[in-house]
Amino acid sequence: MAALALTACSGTDDSGDTTATTGGASKGIVTAWGSEPQNPLIPTNTNEVGGGKILDLIFAGLVSYGADGSAHNEVAESIETEDAQTYTITLKDGWTFTNGEPVTAKSFVDAWNYGAKLSNEQLSSYFFEPIQGFSWDEDSELTGLKVVDDTTFTVALNQPESDFPLRLGYSAFYPLPEAAFADMAAFGENPIGNGNYMLDGEGAWEHNVQATLVPNPDYPGDRVAQNGGVTVKFYETLEGAYNDLLAGQLDVLDNVPDNAFATFEAELGDRAVNQPAAIFQSFTIPQGLEHFSGEEGALRRQAISLAINREEITDAIFQGTRTPASDFTSPVIDGWSNDVAGSEVLKFDADKAKELWAEADAISPYSGTFTIGYNVDGGHEAWVDAVTNGLRNTLGISAEGNPFPSFKDLRSEVTARTITGAFRSGWQADYPGLYNFLGPLYGTGAGSNDGDYSSAEVDTLLTEGASASSIEEANAKFLQVQEVLFKDLPAIPLWYANATGGSADTVSNVEFGWNSVPLLYAVTKN
């Protein structure tokens, strides 16, 4: 095991990890597409892309990720370990929050303890489960965290975890200022960060309208803002956002409505983006949904998966911007395989689907309507209609979409467990590792396990993979996890999504990262 897990990195390389753009800085305000965050902007309670896009602009973590997914130290000077179980983290000097408070070792330790505390009910608390002292049963301190001095702290894990440093760029691990703990609810409405941007004063987050960000003049890191600020605009529909992009009323869009898939590359020319990204899409069937548990449920889940013609849908609707899934992760992640045992359940087979559905009906006849919940503002209606139409035709059942006005509305019912059917799901990676597509979604009690799936075998394999002495050994365990998932199908894999989007001719230096999110700090206004 290397003594130095990650070392300080600065400057520019050929992977797109830029500290300044070749076009130079501009003073213009860049407008970018977004969605209303589900929750107040507290790092450990934000696990959706609307809030995540804003958080990643106003906070800086121990590490940051380059355009290619490579991890580089940002606030951290070094992350050292001899055994992959005990880490010593040393911070760089000169970092402050935008209220003037210094960023210290305590800023990280206090934030992580807050995120892990059971009674705080943070959606990303499971990220701290590997740290000694974490408890799912009672409030407890993370005893594995020790402040050595203002710029040094240590982390003791329950077991060796070789990819722990890779995770530390995710928002759950951001630091918090002391001011946050005085009134966390108020802080979430007007967060104080240490990133390359900050909210433009009180009221800068106009709910359901936009969030206005300005450069942080005291940001000492490598990702210096190359523009005069970023305004993240919340749209009711993707069609409206795309029309604004064409009209020059929106600068950067990292999603394309399905009715523009066939035309956006021609319409935007070299300003169009269509590249692989770490995005997996699916729909989840809750474990408690009637007819979908036990032997009957296993048969029905397989039948539904076999009844979906992924090739036809990705060709007809997505016009080459999606690829039918062959696993539960993403082809851009190291260790991915398109040959996982059991993945044949993803191949369209109408006869087999009918056979399995009939076997399930012999156990308990199916009645009612199978629904898939989706958000109207995200461009999902066409594929949901195609999938449910296929289920009606192949299985002879009633099936239809269940539309919600916004992503926030859908997520609120999913989080509260009040949604009454299946629902669209998927994953945009937090960090570039296979575990991130599996542990948070399918581990028992994990924060994004919205279908409440639980498998002792999966939990054991996830633990063994996380504690492996090398990434290669870990990935072998994670492939075994997927073999179990293909038997149980807690979610129905659909396709991998490309990063699709583009920019108006009002901006330059637009680059999309490994996770499909544009590097907004590097965008310059023409």
Side-chain angles (χ1 to χ4, degrees):
M1 177 60 60
L4 194 60
L6 287 175
T7 54
C9 176
S10 63
T12 309
D13 63 24
D14 294 333
S15 66
D17 304 309
T18 57
T19 62
T21 61
T22 55
S26 65
K27 300 295 185 182
I29 305 298
V30 173
T31 57
W33 172 80
S35 57
E36 171 71 12
Q38 179 188 359
N39 297 309
L41 294 172
I42 299 168
T44 51
N45 205 41
T46 299
N47 68 346
E48 45 80 30
V49 295
K53 179 176 288 185
I54 300 171
L55 278 177
D56 289 346
L57 291 170
I58 61 179
F59 282 91
L62 293 167
V63 306
S64 61
Y65 304 118
D68 62 352
S70 55
H72 303 284
N73 283 356
E74 185 161 26
V75 180
E77 179 70 37
S78 63
I79 303 172
E80 299 175 316
T81 185
E82 295 288 349
D83 58 4
Q85 184 167 359
T86 301
Y87 290 85
T88 298
I89 299 174
T90 304
L91 310 183
K92 296 173 183 174
D93 292 324
W95 283 80
T96 61
F97 293 100
T98 55
N99 66 348
E101 286 185 35
V103 177
T104 66
K106 190 172 184 293
S107 306
F108 286 94
V109 170
D110 287 352
W112 296 8
N113 268 307
Y114 179 86
K117 190 175 182 180
L118 182 68
S119 60
N120 288 334
E121 298 181 327
Q122 299 294 282
L123 291 173
S124 293
S125 63
Y126 61 92
F127 274 94
F128 306 103
E129 185 178 18
I131 300 175
Q132 290 179 11
F134 180 89
S135 175
W136 287 113
D137 302 314
E138 60 184 359
D139 283 349
S140 62
E141 289 289 311
L142 295 176
T143 56
L145 299 181
K146 302 292 184 185
V147 174
V148 177
D149 54 40
D150 281 350
T151 59
T152 310
F153 67 104
T154 58
V155 184
L157 307 181
N158 293 311
Q159 61 186 17
E161 303 211 3
S162 57
D163 75 341
F164 181 71
L166 189 61
R167 307 173 199 172
L168 297 179
Y170 180 53
S171 57
F173 296 102
Y174 288 157
L176 289 176
E178 291 183 10
F181 301 99
D183 188 340
M184 193 62 77
F187 176 84
E189 292 296 323
N190 190 28
I192 300 163
N194 64 320
N196 43 10
Y197 291 88
M198 57 186 182
L199 286 171
D200 190 15
E202 291 286 342
W205 176 12
E206 301 174 63
H207 288 284
N208 300 303
V209 179
Q210 64 185 23
T212 306
L213 312 177
V214 295
N216 173 7
D218 298 319
Y219 170 76
D222 294 333
R223 299 177 299 133
V224 177
Q226 300 298 300
N227 48 59
V230 173
T231 298
V232 182
K233 302 175 71 173
F234 310 143
Y235 283 85
E236 292 184 0
T237 67
L238 270 179
E239 288 79 8
Y242 184 68
N243 289 335
D244 272 5
L245 186 77
L246 294 177
Q249 300 301 309
L250 178 70
D251 294 324
V252 183
L253 174 66
D254 51 304
N255 212 336
V256 171
D258 50 35
N259 63 4
F261 283 139
T263 60
F264 82 100
E265 290 180 287
E267 290 172 332
L268 296 177
D270 60 6
R271 295 180 283 108
V273 174
N274 184 10
Q275 66 188 46
I279 304 176
F280 164 83
Q281 295 184 328
S282 61
F283 63 87
T284 294
I285 304 175
Q287 297 296 302
L289 191 63
E290 188 177 5
H291 294 291
F292 284 92
S293 59
E295 182 183 358
E296 178 195 356
L299 291 167
R300 295 200 189 283
R301 290 168 188 269
Q302 293 175 48
I304 285 175
S305 183
L306 290 163
I308 300 170
N309 193 329
R310 294 164 178 81
E311 293 277 359
E312 183 177 86
I313 293 173
T314 54
D315 287 345
I317 295 176
F318 294 116
Q319 300 286 319
T321 63
R322 303 289 188 274
T323 302
S326 57
D327 82 327
F328 286 81
T329 66
S330 165
V332 305
I333 301 299
D334 183 40
W336 173 81
S337 171
N338 66 347
D339 193 29
V340 181
S343 60
E344 59 273 9
V345 76
L346 302 182
K347 300 295 185 181
F348 177 61
D349 188 335
D351 291 338
K352 183 67 172 178
K354 293 174 183 176
E355 176 187 327
L356 294 176
W357 194 263
E359 288 182 32
D361 276 344
I363 297 173
S364 175
Y366 185 80
S367 60
T369 299
F370 183 82
T371 60
I372 301 176
Y374 67 95
N375 50 302
V376 173
D377 63 349
H380 299 285
E381 183 176 5
W383 74 256
V384 170
D385 286 348
V387 168
T388 52
N389 184 60
L391 297 182
R392 290 195 298 270
N393 292 337
T394 300
L395 302 179
I397 63 172
S398 174
E400 60 187 28
N402 177 21
F404 288 78
S406 70
F407 184 59
K408 179 180 180 180
D409 293 326
L410 172 66
R411 289 298 307 166
S412 294
E413 285 214 15
V414 169
T415 302
R417 303 299 193 264
T418 54
I419 196 163
T420 56
F423 51 89
R424 65 156 289 258
S425 52
W427 197 248
Q428 179 176 299
D430 304 317
Y431 62 89
L434 288 184
Y435 179 88
N436 185 238
F437 284 85
L438 303 173
L441 281 75
Y442 310 113
T444 299
S448 295
N449 185 346
D450 295 324
D452 296 320
Y453 173 70
S454 180
S455 164
E457 186 177 4
V458 164
D459 292 341
T460 297
L461 289 168
L462 286 171
T463 300
E464 290 174 352
S467 62
S469 59
S470 70
I471 297 296
E472 292 74 20
E473 291 179 24
N475 286 343
K477 291 292 184 181
F478 299 146
L479 293 180
Q480 289 181 259
V481 168
Q482 295 192 73
E483 292 178 13
V484 181
L485 295 180
F486 274 125
K487 296 175 183 176
D488 297 344
L489 289 174
I492 307 298
L494 294 172
W495 36 75
Y496 313 116
N498 278 9
T500 56
S503 57
D505 58 11
T506 51
V507 290
S508 301
N509 302 308
V510 178
E511 183 176 16
F512 281 41
W514 63 281
N515 59 352
S516 84
V517 179
L519 307 182
L520 293 173
Y521 76 90
V523 178
T524 56
K525 195 85 170 193
N526 294 337

